[in-house]
Amino acid sequence: IFDQQMHVSHVVEYSRDITLRKIEEKEKEKLIQTLNHLSTTDSLTGLFNRRALNDMLGHEINRASRSAADLSLIICDVDLFKHINDTYGHTAGDRALMAVSEALRRSLRKSDILGRYGGDEFMIILPETSLAGAQSLAEKVRAAVEGLELELPGDKRTRLTLSIGVASCCMPEDNLDTLVSLADAALYSSKEAGRNRISVMKRKEPVAG
């Protein structure tokens, strides 16, 4: 406020307590983060879920196509999982999935993307990894799970194993569906060949290992 000589004679201050609003904003931000986490995370294993994996794989395919980089994909599932579920119950099945998830986590590199693709099926996205490199990593994963022993009701135990399919890209025409189809076909080849093994699906024929 100015006096008649246009000198400042008084100052008026206005303040408002926004503490509550800030708290509400932080709570809203936390809720959004929680919902985002839930929408991309498998509740049992804590891994990425199918939705998140598809988004990430699509992104990595586009990136690999633009930069002419290697990209490989592993799809694997737990052998005879239905038998464990049907015979010993879903609790035993859940424990099997959690044990496999932890073994996969320990076997992978920081750059690899791991998730539960659905049921007893897991997907591993391997950016900047050749088909030969993916085969080598798949063998590491297979061996890690083969060493697991699951305790079952009635003082019984069973060993867990994986069937694994490996594929790689990228050609300009490649997309998520073509790469997943190749890895799925390789996985089917492993199961048909007796399980607990790796198959590599190239564009013309699978090679069992």
Side-chain angles (χ1 to χ4, degrees), residues 120-139:
D120 62 322
E121 195 168 71
F122 296 87
M123 174 183 282
I124 307 168
I125 303 169
L126 308 174
E128 299 182 12
T129 303
S130 67
L131 189 60
Q135 270 185 277
S136 177
L137 189 61
E139 174 55 29

PDB file of all heavy atoms in Angstrom, residues 120-139:
ATOM      1  N   ASP A 120       1.477 -71.666 -16.741  1.00  0.00           N
ATOM      2  CA  ASP A 120       2.822 -72.085 -16.347  1.00  0.00           C
ATOM      3  C   ASP A 120       3.856 -71.683 -17.392  1.00  0.00           C
ATOM      4  O   ASP A 120       4.958 -72.238 -17.434  1.00  0.00           O
ATOM      5  CB  ASP A 120       2.852 -73.603 -16.138  1.00  0.00           C
ATOM      6  CG  ASP A 120       2.531 -74.365 -17.418  1.00  0.00           C
ATOM      7  OD1 ASP A 120       1.658 -73.910 -18.173  1.00  0.00           O
ATOM      8  OD2 ASP A 120       3.145 -75.427 -17.653  1.00  0.00           O
ATOM      9  N   GLU A 121       3.518 -70.717 -18.215  1.00  0.00           N
ATOM     10  CA  GLU A 121       4.379 -70.302 -19.322  1.00  0.00           C
ATOM     11  C   GLU A 121       5.089 -68.991 -18.986  1.00  0.00           C
ATOM     12  O   GLU A 121       4.480 -68.037 -18.517  1.00  0.00           O
ATOM     13  CB  GLU A 121       3.543 -70.134 -20.594  1.00  0.00           C
ATOM     14  CG  GLU A 121       4.360 -70.053 -21.860  1.00  0.00           C
ATOM     15  CD  GLU A 121       3.488 -70.176 -23.104  1.00  0.00           C
ATOM     16  OE1 GLU A 121       2.737 -69.234 -23.390  1.00  0.00           O
ATOM     17  OE2 GLU A 121       3.546 -71.227 -23.767  1.00  0.00           O
ATOM     18  N   PHE A 122       6.391 -68.961 -19.259  1.00  0.00           N
ATOM     19  CA  PHE A 122       7.210 -67.779 -19.001  1.00  0.00           C
ATOM     20  C   PHE A 122       7.814 -67.286 -20.311  1.00  0.00           C
ATOM     21  O   PHE A 122       8.085 -68.071 -21.221  1.00  0.00           O
ATOM     22  CB  PHE A 122       8.332 -68.109 -18.018  1.00  0.00           C
ATOM     23  CG  PHE A 122       7.844 -68.499 -16.648  1.00  0.00           C
ATOM     24  CD1 PHE A 122       7.512 -69.817 -16.376  1.00  0.00           C
ATOM     25  CD2 PHE A 122       7.701 -67.553 -15.648  1.00  0.00           C
ATOM     26  CE1 PHE A 122       7.049 -70.195 -15.119  1.00  0.00           C
ATOM     27  CE2 PHE A 122       7.248 -67.919 -14.388  1.00  0.00           C
ATOM     28  CZ  PHE A 122       6.918 -69.230 -14.122  1.00  0.00           C
ATOM     29  N   MET A 123       8.027 -65.972 -20.379  1.00  0.00           N
ATOM     30  CA  MET A 123       8.658 -65.364 -21.547  1.00  0.00           C
ATOM     31  C   MET A 123       9.890 -64.591 -21.090  1.00  0.00           C
ATOM     32  O   MET A 123       9.872 -63.919 -20.064  1.00  0.00           O
ATOM     33  CB  MET A 123       7.682 -64.418 -22.263  1.00  0.00           C
ATOM     34  CG  MET A 123       8.328 -63.638 -23.415  1.00  0.00           C
ATOM     35  SD  MET A 123       7.184 -62.463 -24.204  1.00  0.00           S
ATOM     36  CE  MET A 123       6.212 -63.591 -25.221  1.00  0.00           C
ATOM     37  N   ILE A 124      10.951 -64.711 -21.888  1.00  0.00           N
ATOM     38  CA  ILE A 124      12.176 -63.962 -21.629  1.00  0.00           C
ATOM     39  C   ILE A 124      12.557 -63.236 -22.915  1.00  0.00           C
ATOM     40  O   ILE A 124      12.806 -63.861 -23.943  1.00  0.00           O
ATOM     41  CB  ILE A 124      13.330 -64.884 -21.194  1.00  0.00           C
ATOM     42  CG1 ILE A 124      12.900 -65.767 -20.020  1.00  0.00           C
ATOM     43  CG2 ILE A 124      14.548 -64.050 -20.807  1.00  0.00           C
ATOM     44  CD1 ILE A 124      13.881 -66.894 -19.718  1.00  0.00           C
ATOM     45  N   ILE A 125      12.583 -61.920 -22.845  1.00  0.00           N
ATOM     46  CA  ILE A 125      12.973 -61.081 -23.982  1.00  0.00           C
ATOM     47  C   ILE A 125      14.454 -60.751 -23.823  1.00  0.00           C
ATOM     48  O   ILE A 125      14.887 -60.285 -22.760  1.00  0.00           O
ATOM     49  CB  ILE A 125      12.135 -59.795 -24.029  1.00  0.00           C
ATOM     50  CG1 ILE A 125      10.633 -60.135 -24.094  1.00  0.00           C
ATOM     51  CG2 ILE A 125      12.540 -58.928 -25.220  1.00  0.00           C
ATOM     52  CD1 ILE A 125       9.720 -58.931 -23.877  1.00  0.00           C
ATOM     53  N   LEU A 126      15.225 -60.990 -24.885  1.00  0.00           N
ATOM     54  CA  LEU A 126      16.678 -60.829 -24.819  1.00  0.00           C
ATOM     55  C   LEU A 126      17.141 -59.770 -25.818  1.00  0.00           C
ATOM     56  O   LEU A 126      17.478 -60.094 -26.969  1.00  0.00           O
ATOM     57  CB  LEU A 126      17.365 -62.163 -25.123  1.00  0.00           C
ATOM     58  CG  LEU A 126      16.902 -63.376 -24.296  1.00  0.00           C
ATOM     59  CD1 LEU A 126      17.552 -64.641 -24.809  1.00  0.00           C
ATOM     60  CD2 LEU A 126      17.203 -63.170 -22.836  1.00  0.00           C
ATOM     61  N   PRO A 127      17.157 -58.504 -25.427  1.00  0.00           N
ATOM     62  CA  PRO A 127      17.608 -57.451 -26.340  1.00  0.00           C
ATOM     63  C   PRO A 127      19.085 -57.625 -26.702  1.00  0.00           C
ATOM     64  O   PRO A 127      19.893 -58.083 -25.885  1.00  0.00           O
ATOM     65  CB  PRO A 127      17.400 -56.164 -25.521  1.00  0.00           C
ATOM     66  CG  PRO A 127      16.429 -56.531 -24.451  1.00  0.00           C
ATOM     67  CD  PRO A 127      16.721 -57.971 -24.132  1.00  0.00           C
ATOM     68  N   GLU A 128      19.415 -57.306 -27.944  1.00  0.00           N
ATOM     69  CA  GLU A 128      20.792 -57.327 -28.430  1.00  0.00           C
ATOM     70  C   GLU A 128      21.470 -58.674 -28.170  1.00  0.00           C
ATOM     71  O   GLU A 128      22.628 -58.734 -27.763  1.00  0.00           O
ATOM     72  CB  GLU A 128      21.594 -56.177 -27.818  1.00  0.00           C
ATOM     73  CG  GLU A 128      21.026 -54.809 -28.177  1.00  0.00           C
ATOM     74  CD  GLU A 128      21.834 -53.659 -27.621  1.00  0.00           C
ATOM     75  OE1 GLU A 128      22.960 -53.915 -27.138  1.00  0.00           O
ATOM     76  OE2 GLU A 128      21.355 -52.523 -27.649  1.00  0.00           O
ATOM     77  N   THR A 129      20.714 -59.736 -28.395  1.00  0.00           N
ATOM     78  CA  THR A 129      21.230 -61.083 -28.173  1.00  0.00           C
ATOM     79  C   THR A 129      21.002 -61.928 -29.420  1.00  0.00           C
ATOM     80  O   THR A 129      19.876 -62.019 -29.914  1.00  0.00           O
ATOM     81  CB  THR A 129      20.528 -61.752 -26.971  1.00  0.00           C
ATOM     82  OG1 THR A 129      20.703 -60.936 -25.812  1.00  0.00           O
ATOM     83  CG2 THR A 129      21.095 -63.129 -26.709  1.00  0.00           C
ATOM     84  N   SER A 130      22.065 -62.540 -29.914  1.00  0.00           N
ATOM     85  CA  SER A 130      21.962 -63.382 -31.102  1.00  0.00           C
ATOM     86  C   SER A 130      21.260 -64.694 -30.767  1.00  0.00           C
ATOM     87  O   SER A 130      21.072 -65.039 -29.590  1.00  0.00           O
ATOM     88  CB  SER A 130      23.363 -63.682 -31.645  1.00  0.00           C
ATOM     89  OG  SER A 130      24.076 -64.495 -30.715  1.00  0.00           O
ATOM     90  N   LEU A 131      20.927 -65.443 -31.801  1.00  0.00           N
ATOM     91  CA  LEU A 131      20.281 -66.736 -31.592  1.00  0.00           C
ATOM     92  C   LEU A 131      21.206 -67.683 -30.831  1.00  0.00           C
ATOM     93  O   LEU A 131      20.767 -68.404 -29.926  1.00  0.00           O
ATOM     94  CB  LEU A 131      19.896 -67.345 -32.946  1.00  0.00           C
ATOM     95  CG  LEU A 131      19.019 -68.591 -32.907  1.00  0.00           C
ATOM     96  CD1 LEU A 131      17.691 -68.308 -32.227  1.00  0.00           C
ATOM     97  CD2 LEU A 131      18.781 -69.123 -34.316  1.00  0.00           C
ATOM     98  N   ALA A 132      22.492 -67.643 -31.156  1.00  0.00           N
ATOM     99  CA  ALA A 132      23.450 -68.504 -30.449  1.00  0.00           C
ATOM    100  C   ALA A 132      23.556 -68.103 -28.980  1.00  0.00           C
ATOM    101  O   ALA A 132      23.621 -68.960 -28.090  1.00  0.00           O
ATOM    102  CB  ALA A 132      24.816 -68.425 -31.119  1.00  0.00           C
ATOM    103  N   GLY A 133      23.558 -66.796 -28.717  1.00  0.00           N
ATOM    104  CA  GLY A 133      23.610 -66.319 -27.345  1.00  0.00           C
ATOM    105  C   GLY A 133      22.361 -66.700 -26.569  1.00  0.00           C
ATOM    106  O   GLY A 133      22.427 -67.045 -25.385  1.00  0.00           O
ATOM    107  N   ALA A 134      21.221 -66.656 -27.244  1.00  0.00           N
ATOM    108  CA  ALA A 134      19.963 -67.022 -26.603  1.00  0.00           C
ATOM    109  C   ALA A 134      19.939 -68.516 -26.280  1.00  0.00           C
ATOM    110  O   ALA A 134      19.440 -68.926 -25.231  1.00  0.00           O
ATOM    111  CB  ALA A 134      18.790 -66.659 -27.516  1.00  0.00           C
ATOM    112  N   GLN A 135      20.486 -69.335 -27.181  1.00  0.00           N
ATOM    113  CA  GLN A 135      20.572 -70.774 -26.920  1.00  0.00           C
ATOM    114  C   GLN A 135      21.405 -71.057 -25.675  1.00  0.00           C
ATOM    115  O   GLN A 135      21.051 -71.892 -24.836  1.00  0.00           O
ATOM    116  CB  GLN A 135      21.216 -71.489 -28.112  1.00  0.00           C
ATOM    117  CG  GLN A 135      20.249 -71.952 -29.171  1.00  0.00           C
ATOM    118  CD  GLN A 135      20.962 -72.761 -30.238  1.00  0.00           C
ATOM    119  OE1 GLN A 135      21.541 -72.211 -31.162  1.00  0.00           O
ATOM    120  NE2 GLN A 135      20.921 -74.063 -30.098  1.00  0.00           N
ATOM    121  N   SER A 136      22.524 -70.360 -25.562  1.00  0.00           N
ATOM    122  CA  SER A 136      23.398 -70.547 -24.418  1.00  0.00           C
ATOM    123  C   SER A 136      22.704 -70.158 -23.117  1.00  0.00           C
ATOM    124  O   SER A 136      22.792 -70.868 -22.111  1.00  0.00           O
ATOM    125  CB  SER A 136      24.676 -69.707 -24.608  1.00  0.00           C
ATOM    126  OG  SER A 136      25.523 -69.811 -23.487  1.00  0.00           O
ATOM    127  N   LEU A 137      21.981 -69.041 -23.153  1.00  0.00           N
ATOM    128  CA  LEU A 137      21.257 -68.596 -21.966  1.00  0.00           C
ATOM    129  C   LEU A 137      20.101 -69.547 -21.649  1.00  0.00           C
ATOM    130  O   LEU A 137      19.820 -69.833 -20.480  1.00  0.00           O
ATOM    131  CB  LEU A 137      20.722 -67.177 -22.173  1.00  0.00           C
ATOM    132  CG  LEU A 137      20.125 -66.513 -20.943  1.00  0.00           C
ATOM    133  CD1 LEU A 137      21.156 -66.380 -19.834  1.00  0.00           C
ATOM    134  CD2 LEU A 137      19.571 -65.138 -21.295  1.00  0.00           C
ATOM    135  N   ALA A 138      19.454 -70.054 -22.676  1.00  0.00           N
ATOM    136  CA  ALA A 138      18.359 -71.007 -22.472  1.00  0.00           C
ATOM    137  C   ALA A 138      18.851 -72.269 -21.773  1.00  0.00           C
ATOM    138  O   ALA A 138      18.172 -72.833 -20.913  1.00  0.00           O
ATOM    139  CB  ALA A 138      17.705 -71.357 -23.807  1.00  0.00           C
ATOM    140  N   GLU A 139      20.039 -72.724 -22.119  1.00  0.00           N
ATOM    141  CA  GLU A 139      20.608 -73.902 -21.465  1.00  0.00           C
ATOM    142  C   GLU A 139      20.898 -73.613 -19.994  1.00  0.00           C
ATOM    143  O   GLU A 139      20.687 -74.466 -19.130  1.00  0.00           O
ATOM    144  CB  GLU A 139      21.882 -74.347 -22.192  1.00  0.00           C
ATOM    145  CG  GLU A 139      22.626 -75.480 -21.507  1.00  0.00           C
ATOM    146  CD  GLU A 139      21.773 -76.709 -21.251  1.00  0.00           C
ATOM    147  OE1 GLU A 139      20.820 -76.973 -22.019  1.00  0.00           O
ATOM    148  OE2 GLU A 139      22.059 -77.428 -20.267  1.00  0.00           O
TER     149      GLU A 139
END
